[in-house]
Amino acid sequence: MRESYGEKVFKVPIDAGFDCPNRDGTVAHGGCTFCTVSGSGDAIVAPDAPIPVQVEKEIEFLHRKWPGVKKYIAYFQNFTNTHDSVDVIRERFEQAVGRPDVVGINIGTRPDCLPTETLDYLEELNQRITVWVELGLQTTYETTSNLINRAHDYQTYLDAVANLRQRGILVCVHLINGLPGETHDMMLENVRRVVTDSDIQGIKLHLLHLMTGTRMQRDFHQGALQLMAFDDYVTIICDQLEIIPKHISIHRLTGDAPRDMLIGPMWSLKKWEVLNAIDDEMTKRNVFQGDKAC
């Protein structure tokens, strides 16, 4: 961001009121088994307010810690932010990107919700403002994908990335470490596949948070889910960083979860301890991102 804009830039999360195709019956029901009722928007300050008001309130909230920041990225975060007609998508996005201090837009969505008319609008929008599309993939394994009710396959993701890149749109992929049944080698292979199979510019690596009110909570109580230990998470993140090429930007190494909704791992609440442990392990190994990239 500093290279692009010359200064620190805020990412402002927005709840635009979209739904998901695997919640409303378009492709499935119930949503992903790890997803809360807010669709990963649990930390948004005023999710029920009009979009321009949400932007103002988020900026006010963030300025308590960083008062000098003057540029922002509108982050359409929770649920599937291209799951509607292009007219509805345009009307909601334009409420945020019309501000002169908004220099970019990040759009969280699914690979199966990018029809041609939506892609055409995003291409046009990308001529006016920097557009990142964040694709929730979570895993490259079909067995895991079916287990967590993603309701799309890996090829759909590959096709979506190709369509976005043909239009010059930046792509960030989301992966979750700690999904049910996935081993260390499988988590490493998830990263290896996306960086070799698809033309991505960014990646988000998440820890699986087990949250109250999710379908995955039942699996945990039935003994079908083992939460990751702190040391195991640090190890897999460092192993993944070593194989991610240096030109791919790291958008996240862990995530946040509201304390009152989190079942575990509870160590994830100490985010800076996690990030510092990752730094320490990389230093101990004397390695950098991409040192083992193909």
Short mmCIF file of all heavy atoms in Angstrom, two decimals, residues 42-43 206 209 211 252 254-258 268-269 271:
data_model
loop_
_atom_site.label_atom_id
_atom_site.label_comp_id
_atom_site.label_asym_id
_atom_site.label_seq_id
_atom_site.Cartn_x
_atom_site.Cartn_y
_atom_site.Cartn_z
N ASP A 42 -18.51 -10.51 11.81
CA ASP A 42 -18.81 -10.33 13.23
C ASP A 42 -18.19 -9.06 13.82
O ASP A 42 -18.66 -8.57 14.85
CB ASP A 42 -18.33 -11.55 14.02
CG ASP A 42 -18.90 -12.85 13.47
OD1 ASP A 42 -20.12 -13.02 13.56
OD2 ASP A 42 -18.12 -13.66 12.94
N ALA A 43 -17.15 -8.54 13.21
CA ALA A 43 -16.45 -7.38 13.78
C ALA A 43 -16.85 -6.06 13.13
O ALA A 43 -16.31 -5.01 13.48
CB ALA A 43 -14.94 -7.58 13.68
N HIS A 206 -5.90 -18.35 6.88
CA HIS A 206 -6.72 -18.23 8.09
C HIS A 206 -6.52 -19.44 8.98
O HIS A 206 -6.32 -20.56 8.49
CB HIS A 206 -8.21 -18.17 7.73
CG HIS A 206 -8.64 -16.91 7.08
ND1 HIS A 206 -9.27 -15.89 7.75
CD2 HIS A 206 -8.56 -16.50 5.79
CE1 HIS A 206 -9.55 -14.91 6.91
NE2 HIS A 206 -9.11 -15.26 5.71
N HIS A 209 -11.49 -20.93 13.01
CA HIS A 209 -12.09 -20.56 14.28
C HIS A 209 -13.38 -21.35 14.45
O HIS A 209 -14.26 -21.30 13.58
CB HIS A 209 -12.42 -19.06 14.32
CG HIS A 209 -11.22 -18.19 14.40
ND1 HIS A 209 -11.02 -17.13 13.54
CD2 HIS A 209 -10.15 -18.21 15.22
CE1 HIS A 209 -9.89 -16.52 13.84
NE2 HIS A 209 -9.34 -17.16 14.85
N MET A 211 -16.79 -21.43 16.02
CA MET A 211 -17.66 -20.39 16.56
C MET A 211 -18.99 -20.99 17.03
O MET A 211 -19.47 -21.99 16.50
CB MET A 211 -17.92 -19.33 15.49
CG MET A 211 -16.67 -18.79 14.83
SD MET A 211 -15.75 -17.67 15.87
CE MET A 211 -16.73 -16.19 15.66
N ARG A 252 -3.09 -11.88 4.95
CA ARG A 252 -3.42 -12.26 6.33
C ARG A 252 -2.70 -13.56 6.67
O ARG A 252 -2.55 -14.44 5.84
CB ARG A 252 -4.93 -12.44 6.50
CG ARG A 252 -5.35 -12.76 7.93
CD ARG A 252 -6.85 -12.68 8.10
NE ARG A 252 -7.32 -11.29 8.03
CZ ARG A 252 -8.60 -10.95 8.00
NH1 ARG A 252 -9.53 -11.87 8.00
NH2 ARG A 252 -8.95 -9.68 7.96
N THR A 254 -3.38 -14.88 10.06
CA THR A 254 -4.33 -15.45 11.01
C THR A 254 -5.53 -14.52 10.99
O THR A 254 -5.60 -13.60 10.19
CB THR A 254 -3.72 -15.60 12.42
OG1 THR A 254 -4.66 -16.26 13.27
CG2 THR A 254 -3.35 -14.26 13.03
N GLY A 255 -6.50 -14.76 11.85
CA GLY A 255 -7.70 -13.93 11.82
C GLY A 255 -8.18 -13.57 13.20
O GLY A 255 -7.65 -14.04 14.21
N ASP A 256 -9.20 -12.72 13.23
CA ASP A 256 -9.81 -12.30 14.49
C ASP A 256 -11.16 -12.98 14.66
O ASP A 256 -11.84 -13.30 13.69
CB ASP A 256 -10.02 -10.78 14.49
CG ASP A 256 -8.72 -10.02 14.37
OD1 ASP A 256 -7.89 -10.16 15.27
OD2 ASP A 256 -8.55 -9.29 13.38
N ALA A 257 -11.55 -13.16 15.91
CA ALA A 257 -12.88 -13.69 16.21
C ALA A 257 -13.36 -13.06 17.51
O ALA A 257 -12.56 -12.87 18.44
CB ALA A 257 -12.85 -15.20 16.34
N PRO A 258 -14.64 -12.70 17.60
CA PRO A 258 -15.16 -12.14 18.86
C PRO A 258 -15.03 -13.15 20.00
O PRO A 258 -15.38 -14.33 19.84
CB PRO A 258 -16.63 -11.87 18.53
CG PRO A 258 -16.70 -11.80 17.05
CD PRO A 258 -15.66 -12.75 16.54
N SER A 268 -5.86 -18.17 19.80
CA SER A 268 -5.92 -17.29 18.62
C SER A 268 -6.33 -15.87 18.99
O SER A 268 -6.14 -14.95 18.20
CB SER A 268 -6.91 -17.85 17.60
OG SER A 268 -8.25 -17.82 18.09
N LEU A 269 -6.89 -15.68 20.18
CA LEU A 269 -7.27 -14.33 20.61
C LEU A 269 -6.04 -13.44 20.83
O LEU A 269 -6.14 -12.22 20.77
CB LEU A 269 -8.09 -14.39 21.90
CG LEU A 269 -9.48 -15.03 21.77
CD1 LEU A 269 -10.09 -15.27 23.14
CD2 LEU A 269 -10.41 -14.15 20.92
N LYS A 271 -3.54 -12.33 19.09
CA LYS A 271 -3.11 -12.27 17.70
C LYS A 271 -1.65 -11.87 17.55
O LYS A 271 -0.93 -12.44 16.74
CB LYS A 271 -4.01 -11.29 16.94
CG LYS A 271 -3.76 -11.25 15.44
CD LYS A 271 -4.80 -10.40 14.74
CE LYS A 271 -4.58 -10.35 13.25
NZ LYS A 271 -5.61 -9.52 12.56
#
